[in-house]
Amino acid sequence: MKNIEQVCKKIFKLARGVQCEVMAEKRDSSLTRFADNVISQNVASSALNFSVRLLDGGRSAKMSFNQADDATLKHAVASGLEILKKQKKDPALLPLAKPRPIAPGKNMFDRETAELSPSFRAGKAAELARACGKTGQIACGTVDNGASELVIANNLGLFVRHRDSSVTHSVTVKDHDGSGWAEKTSHDVKNIDFARLNETARAKAAASRKPRDPKPGKYTVVLEPQAVADVLSYMNAYSFGGQFYNEGRSFVCGKLGKQVLSPLLTLEDDAWGAAPGMPFDFEGQPRTKVTLVERGVLKAIVHDRKTARKAGTASTGHALPQPSYFGPLAINLAVKPGKDSLQDLIKGTERGILVTQFHYTNLLKAQTMEITGMTRNGTFMIENGKVAYPIKNMRFTQSMVEAFANIEAVGSEAEFLQGWGYISCPPMRLSGFNFSSATKF
Amino acid sequence: MFKLASKAIEVANKHKVDFGDIRVVEERNQTVAVKNGEISALTDQTTLGYGIRVLYKGAWGFASGRDMTERAVADTALRAIAIAKASRLLMRGRVRLAHEPAYQDFWQTPFLKDPFAVPVQTKLDMLFALDKTLRADKRIKVSESEMNFMREHQWHMTTEGSRIEQVLLNSGGCVTATAVLNGESQLRGYPCSHGGQFLAGGWEIIEAMDLPAHADRVRDEAIALLKAPVCPAGVKDLIISGNQMALQIHESVGHASELDRVLGYEESYAGSSFATTEKLGKFRYGSEIVNLVADATLPGGLATAGYDDDAVKAQRWHIVKDGILSGYMTNREFCGRIGKDRSWGSCRADGYSNIPITRICNLSLMPHKGTTEELVAGIKDGVMMENNTSWSIDQRRLNFQFGCEIGWEIKNGKKGRILKNPRYQGITPEFWGSCDAIAGPQEWRLWGVANCGKGQPGQRAMMCHGSSPARFRKVKIGVHG
């Protein structure tokens, strides 16, 4: 970190006379990947990347590099200054942000997690693969861990930093024509129950053998947390960001303050909440807690400084690295849990489909949040409140505005998941969910 | 750079590895973009580092670094060996690589004009002029014009004696306009959206696109789509044109034919493939006129190079020949599983920090005969669709759904009014089996895919897909939620 500070100082000295922002990210990551009950990839990487943004009265340039020797710094800044010199002024360009007080974030760093060894990861893969091998199942998945440090500084006196560690155990088990999946991520390896995840995926794979052919159509669905998180992440990204809102492309346009979604849905973005993260955004501005949806009423959208200015409001602290193609984004989402367990959600379903996970989801139409995708790794028919039998996978084509207006129940057990950022998400039961076709497995 | 790289080979040999290699990679990536009258991106990125791969007693290890000293290279090589030793904890048999001769060679992408030598202001002037044209109508709420240039300089050394230097250069760009009115938005792009069209080459790629000649049309078609009828649902005949055919090839043949995926090694992430190895040489993938050729030697191809990242010399081969599954995308590790003693050479890594994995090569649908007009004339009730907007396919590459920017109704052999939100669904072999016409070589062109994601950790790769417009019978069209 000291080294990064020194590099920032050198860059500021070279960029004297213009505004200068440095974003430095140090990332050490390791991943052990297994498939067919053997380790197939075992990799480690160390990276340190710098991005330097230069601004001068409506002119801008951004140079990125991963070598921090004096010659590279000098060349990068000189190239940026040269671009500034020849550029016409852009009156809409914002100057750099001034420093603002940042409340401390939650501790998200654990040294043991950051430094897990290759043999630890291989050992965890082996535990699963050996158990699967004994029962004719096939283990696939990853164990990965690492740490990252982010610094954002500018020559107006802004200097913020955040570090975190992470570990993820992701398991896919094949059992003849059945498959199951389980995954957990955390900043602390002590929160990962490897054996439980392995057992969940193995049991689901066994239960999903000999799937029957389903008939496409509208069904009540019980979506497990990962399935909810997948489609909700799309809705967040393309609906609740200030840029999409300002451009009239979000379904939220003209509907703020209105009851559009189910009263059972409350959605917040909170860097200190159930899906915590760094307490500042990529402009170095403090993140604020934003309630996006309260009991189905659309309450707010998130902003960076640019979209806030266009909307005549203040940044909520949700900037991505600037300049941002995507605009601001909420990355610490949490759905307020309900009262029912997953079993209760199933029990309350007369006839419906239980979905473990979605695959290859994609947005079709932003104004209705119409999305398509496939079910994956365990899809089951529910009859009379019980999981009746496994079914082959189906494609859904569904407006998520309509789907989240049709929530029948929200589960009580939220999972901490990775999406476009982090998301804490419980299971849900939704009615009238449209499956447009089936596949052959 | 080879002097620095040789330190890794020295360490690998000292530890008696089965195989070892180092790729030193220097990349430069420039993006210049204008959106709604403002500069939305003006970035210049350079990275330099190395990735070291070792096969130690039959198990893989990989580590990468950015410290360009001999000591750091040696330490990274030792780290890769330590990781390989850990991999030995869970192995069935020793990994063995297919033989490939050792090469000492230099190869570079042919180009006419270095895009990095073109002044940034020249690029900005062009983009601002395009942006002005796109925004000439107030119903265009989002106008985007952009250019991207990528150069990768790599030095690859193996313990087998290969010493390969390559310089790969790609250029791309596009204009897109999004019209918004009364809660409806419609996107139109040229040559296509999703970041635009990319090909291997220099500034001449941008000049050849002639973006200014198309900006008016892009704007007007986006606006016209607002009031166009929605593509009707039903089973109809379909003509695919523009870059949509590239996506169709990419998703339903390209990924399905990656041998690592076929063997189950991508199961935990992107899934596997229905095109399993017992089907090789027998399985009817498409109709008899369907020929899909992988080609790492294709001029202008984004996956074109002298050698892949397994140090295998570039080749050309059939994936589907006369409708029959005939080959796979391979690396040196897995090609033996289909009885081949040499890889077809389709193993690549994203930058310096990733391990090489099996990737889609340039993969093209070979032209057949006739013109698009003749394809249209043979349809009583159908739709022509152009340029991709959305894509989704199941985890075995069977059930797919695609959405396109624009459709045209076809009635009684005539192309008529435009249709918005055109979409279609299908099952891969049934769909390719319904292909009864492919236009001739005069309409064949190459499309770039610049953002293909695969692997864990995620890696990006680039490749091209060439095609002429093609006709498919009895397709499920106009699927809406």
Side-chain angles (χ1 to χ4, degrees):
Chain A
M1 188 54 76
K2 235 180 197 177
N3 183 33
I4 291 176
E5 284 186 49
Q6 286 165 359
V7 172
C8 288
K9 281 179 187 167
K10 282 183 185 177
I11 292 169
F12 293 154
K13 203 172 168 186
L14 289 165
R16 202 170 284 158
V18 300
Q19 290 196 347
C20 177
E21 174 194 79
V22 179
M23 188 175 92
E25 188 178 23
K26 183 177 188 301
R27 184 177 290 275
D28 294 305
S29 53
S30 301
L31 180 142
T32 299
R33 194 177 197 200
F34 48 99
D36 197 18
N37 292 343
V38 298
I39 289 175
S40 55
Q41 270 176 234
N42 211 347
V43 302
S45 75
S46 298
L48 175 59
N49 294 304
F50 294 90
S51 286
V52 175
R53 207 152 61 98
L54 302 173
L55 277 77
D56 183 23
R59 302 178 181 94
S60 72
K62 185 174 179 178
M63 318 300 290
S64 301
F65 45 88
N66 75 335
Q67 300 293 317
D69 57 281
D70 288 350
T72 301
L73 302 185
K74 207 171 166 181
H75 175 74
V77 174
S79 304
L81 291 172
E82 193 63 23
I83 291 171
L84 290 186
K85 227 186 274 177
K86 292 174 183 169
Q87 205 178 112
K88 288 171 191 159
K89 282 189 179 183
D90 176 0
L93 191 70
L94 280 171
L96 290 179
K98 290 178 183 162
R100 289 173 60 193
I102 307 282
K106 277 190 176 178
N107 176 34
M108 296 189 66
F109 183 79
D110 175 67
R111 188 166 298 284
E112 182 194 354
T113 303
E115 295 174 356
L116 294 174
S117 68
S119 52
F120 174 89
R121 293 190 303 276
K124 292 301 176 190
E127 281 172 20
L128 172 64
R130 284 176 187 148
C132 284
K134 285 177 191 163
T135 56
Q137 294 181 315
I138 296 169
C140 313
T142 56
V143 184
D144 70 77
N145 72 295
S148 68
E149 295 181 48
L150 179 76
V151 169
I152 297 168
N154 70 31
N155 58 3
L156 302 181
L158 187 148
F159 189 96
V160 291
R161 65 174 147 207
H162 174 78
R163 69 173 180 169
D164 59 28
S165 53
S166 70
V167 56
T168 300
H169 184 44
S170 180
V171 184
T172 303
V173 173
K174 304 289 291 178
D175 191 334
H176 301 85
D177 56 358
S179 63
W181 175 87
E183 181 178 298
K184 187 163 176 68
T185 191
S186 176
H187 74 278
D188 187 341
V189 69
K190 291 185 278 298
N191 294 333
I192 305 284
D193 186 340
F194 288 87
R196 186 167 158 251
L197 289 166
N198 294 348
E199 191 44 46
T200 300
R202 292 187 63 206
K204 190 158 264 181
S208 63
R209 285 180 64 176
K210 298 182 180 169
R212 299 186 198 173
D213 283 308
K215 196 177 167 192
K218 292 204 171 191
Y219 288 88
T220 294
V221 286
V222 175
L223 304 182
E224 293 199 13
Q226 179 64 50
V228 178
D230 194 345
V231 290
L232 199 57
S233 294
Y234 265 94
M235 180 180 262
N236 168 52
Y238 288 96
S239 306
F240 290 99
Q243 179 170 289
F244 286 94
Y245 186 83
N246 290 349
E247 291 168 355
R249 292 196 281 171
S250 159
F251 87 90
V252 180
C253 290
K255 298 192 185 92
L256 277 177
K258 292 182 182 167
Q259 178 90 43
V260 175
L261 306 175
S262 162
L264 297 174
L265 181 66
T266 293
L267 178 65
E268 293 177 344
D269 185 80
D270 184 3
W272 294 266
M278 59 185 198
F280 54 85
D281 70 3
F282 287 91
E283 291 180 306
Q285 299 300 287
R287 286 190 184 279
T288 56
K289 178 180 167 181
V290 179
T291 300
L292 304 168
V293 181
E294 188 171 23
R295 294 178 188 177
V297 177
L298 305 180
K299 297 295 281 187
I301 52 169
V302 298
H303 282 293
D304 57 21
R305 292 165 64 236
K306 184 177 175 180
T307 64
R309 187 172 72 167
K310 283 193 177 167
T313 183
S315 168
T316 55
H318 288 85
L320 294 177
Q322 298 294 304
S324 168
Y325 174 83
F326 209 79
L329 183 67
I331 56 173
N332 304 103
L333 286 177
V335 176
K336 191 178 175 188
K339 292 176 182 167
D340 300 324
S341 68
L342 177 63
Q343 285 313 313
D344 292 334
L345 297 183
I346 294 167
K347 210 179 281 179
T349 307
E350 193 181 325
R351 181 175 164 78
I353 290 173
L354 172 64
V355 178
T356 300
Q357 194 185 7
F358 287 134
H359 168 80
Y360 221 139
T361 47
N362 209 333
L363 180 65
L364 299 170
K365 194 174 174 190
Q367 274 84 359
T368 55
M369 287 310 300
E370 192 179 351
I371 293 177
T372 190
M374 297 295 302
T375 63
R376 186 176 183 180
N377 289 329
T379 309
F380 302 89
M381 187 62 75
I382 303 168
E383 288 178 350
N384 302 318
K386 287 182 181 163
V387 173
Y389 51 85
I391 57 172
K392 291 180 182 175
N393 290 294
M394 286 203 284
R395 170 172 299 287
F396 68 93
T397 306
Q398 171 66 49
S399 154
M400 288 304 143
V401 176
E402 185 185 284
F404 286 120
N406 291 340
I407 299 172
E408 289 186 347
V410 176
S412 56
E413 297 144 359
E415 296 270 353
F416 176 64
L417 300 161
Q418 294 181 86
W420 301 21
Y422 294 118
I423 179 167
S424 170
C425 203
M428 284 184 193
R429 189 174 67 232
L430 318 170
S431 63
F433 199 85
N434 183 49
F435 290 98
S436 54
S437 60
T439 191
K440 294 182 180 293
F441 56 91
Chain B
M1 223 45 107
F2 280 125
K3 185 172 180 293
L4 185 71
S6 64
K7 191 68 192 172
I9 301 303
E10 183 189 314
V11 171
N13 282 331
K14 191 177 164 190
H15 285 78
K16 297 184 170 36
V17 300
D18 311 337
F19 169 86
D21 70 355
I22 175 169
R23 290 178 313 106
V24 182
V25 179
E26 184 176 35
E27 289 183 294
R28 184 172 178 193
N29 186 342
Q30 186 184 67
T31 304
V32 187
V34 169
K35 178 180 175 181
N36 292 348
E38 301 170 9
I39 296 172
S40 55
L42 182 43
T43 62
D44 207 318
Q45 182 177 22
T46 56
T47 57
L48 174 62
Y50 46 85
I52 299 171
R53 186 170 62 150
V54 297
L55 192 55
Y56 179 79
K57 294 186 178 175
W60 281 117
F62 174 86
S64 67
R66 50 170 280 282
D67 188 345
M68 305 304 286
T69 62
E70 287 194 2
R71 184 173 175 172
V73 169
D75 286 347
T76 305
L78 289 172
R79 192 177 185 198
I81 292 167
I83 291 171
K85 285 178 179 172
S87 299
R88 285 181 50 75
L89 189 65
L90 187 61
M91 58 193 291
R92 190 175 298 125
R94 293 175 77 127
V95 170
R96 295 181 195 283
L97 301 185
H99 176 73
E100 184 72 15
Y103 304 99
Q104 290 81 43
D105 203 357
F106 173 84
W107 191 93
Q108 74 169 21
T109 304
F111 66 93
L112 296 174
K113 294 180 187 172
D114 179 0
F116 296 102
V118 175
V120 167
Q121 193 54 49
T122 303
K123 295 164 183 165
L124 282 172
D125 286 346
M126 184 192 282
L127 295 174
F128 272 111
L130 290 164
D131 186 77
K132 196 175 171 188
T133 305
L134 293 173
R135 287 191 301 134
D137 188 303
K138 285 183 178 170
R139 286 169 289 183
I140 299 298
K141 299 296 182 195
V142 185
S143 56
E144 294 171 289
S145 313
E146 66 177 277
M147 297 174 191
N148 287 273
F149 308 99
M150 285 168 257
R151 183 172 60 213
E152 179 175 328
H153 194 159
Q154 49 176 259
W155 296 263
H156 189 183
M157 281 186 88
T158 72
T159 51
E160 297 164 328
S162 277
R163 187 184 166 110
I164 300 164
E165 183 178 356
Q166 301 195 102
V167 184
L168 312 178
L169 180 66
N170 303 316
S171 299
C174 67
V175 290
T176 63
T178 304
V180 181
L181 191 68
N182 300 331
E184 170 86 30
S185 75
Q186 289 294 330
L187 167 78
R188 192 73 174 111
Y190 171 81
C192 53
S193 43
H194 302 316
Q197 163 73 330
F198 283 77
L199 292 171
W203 178 250
E204 67 277 6
I205 301 291
I206 301 295
E207 290 178 327
M209 282 182 196
D210 196 5
L211 296 171
H214 295 268
D216 282 304
R217 178 181 58 81
V218 163
R219 176 198 63 222
D220 294 345
E221 286 184 352
I223 291 164
L225 280 166
L226 286 173
K227 290 184 179 173
V230 173
C231 180
V235 175
K236 297 170 187 290
D237 294 340
L238 171 68
I239 294 175
I240 302 177
S241 67
N243 88 326
Q244 175 52 32
M245 187 53 88
L247 263 288
Q248 182 69 55
I249 294 167
H250 184 88
E251 300 290 358
S252 67
V253 186
H255 282 307
S257 63
E258 293 165 334
L259 189 55
D260 61 339
R261 180 191 296 259
V262 170
L263 295 171
Y265 288 87
E266 270 291 316
E267 184 65 61
S268 61
Y269 182 57
S272 57
S273 171
F274 74 95
T276 41
T277 55
E278 79 283 358
K279 296 187 172 90
L280 185 63
K282 293 179 256 183
F283 181 73
R284 179 152 290 285
Y285 211 108
S287 65
E288 284 182 358
I289 61 167
V290 173
N291 282 283
L292 288 142
V293 174
D295 190 352
T297 70
L298 184 68
L302 295 170
T304 298
Y307 303 84
D308 75 352
D309 291 338
D310 256 351
V312 174
K313 201 170 176 64
Q315 296 163 62
R316 182 180 190 274
W317 70 104
H318 271 87
I319 297 296
V320 176
K321 188 172 186 187
D322 301 330
I324 302 296
L325 175 67
S326 299
Y328 291 102
M329 308 292 171
T330 64
N331 66 5
R332 293 175 66 186
E333 179 179 355
F334 295 129
C335 65
R337 303 264 196 109
I338 53 167
K340 273 187 63 65
D341 57 9
R342 188 187 181 210
S343 169
W344 270 302
S346 199
C347 183
R348 291 184 288 152
D350 180 2
Y352 74 86
S353 61
N354 285 296
I355 191 168
I357 56 175
T358 306
R359 301 306 305 238
I360 304 173
C361 191
N362 302 309
L363 176 64
S364 301
L365 178 66
M366 293 295 102
H368 194 232
K369 62 182 180 185
T371 63
T372 301
E373 286 70 31
E374 287 167 345
L375 265 57
V376 170
I379 291 180
K380 197 174 172 188
D381 178 22
V383 179
M384 178 190 275
M385 298 188 195
E386 181 179 288
N387 282 7
N388 181 269
T389 53
S390 75
W391 61 100
S392 175
I393 190 164
D394 75 32
Q395 50 275 28
R396 291 191 197 165
R397 303 276 145 182
L398 279 166
N399 177 310
F400 58 76
Q401 176 172 315
F402 290 105
C404 293
E405 287 179 8
I406 189 166
W408 288 271
E409 190 174 57
I410 300 173
K411 289 282 184 197
N412 300 317
K414 296 234 171 353
K415 185 178 160 189
R417 60 183 182 164
I418 63 168
L419 303 169
K420 69 183 171 190
N421 305 335
R423 300 169 191 165
Y424 65 97
Q425 283 188 356
I427 297 288
T428 296
E430 294 166 14
F431 181 79
W432 284 104
S434 76
C435 179
D436 77 335
I438 304 166
Q442 74 284 356
E443 296 189 38
W444 193 89
R445 65 173 293 186
L446 208 50
W447 293 94
V449 172
N451 55 356
C452 174
K454 187 183 173 186
Q456 293 173 299
Q459 298 192 42
R460 186 179 93 149
M462 303 176 80
M463 63 288 295
C464 275
H465 304 297
S467 75
S468 305
R471 186 172 66 202
F472 300 83
R473 298 293 191 185
K474 294 183 180 172
V475 178
K476 188 177 177 183
I477 279 170
V479 185
H480 302 282

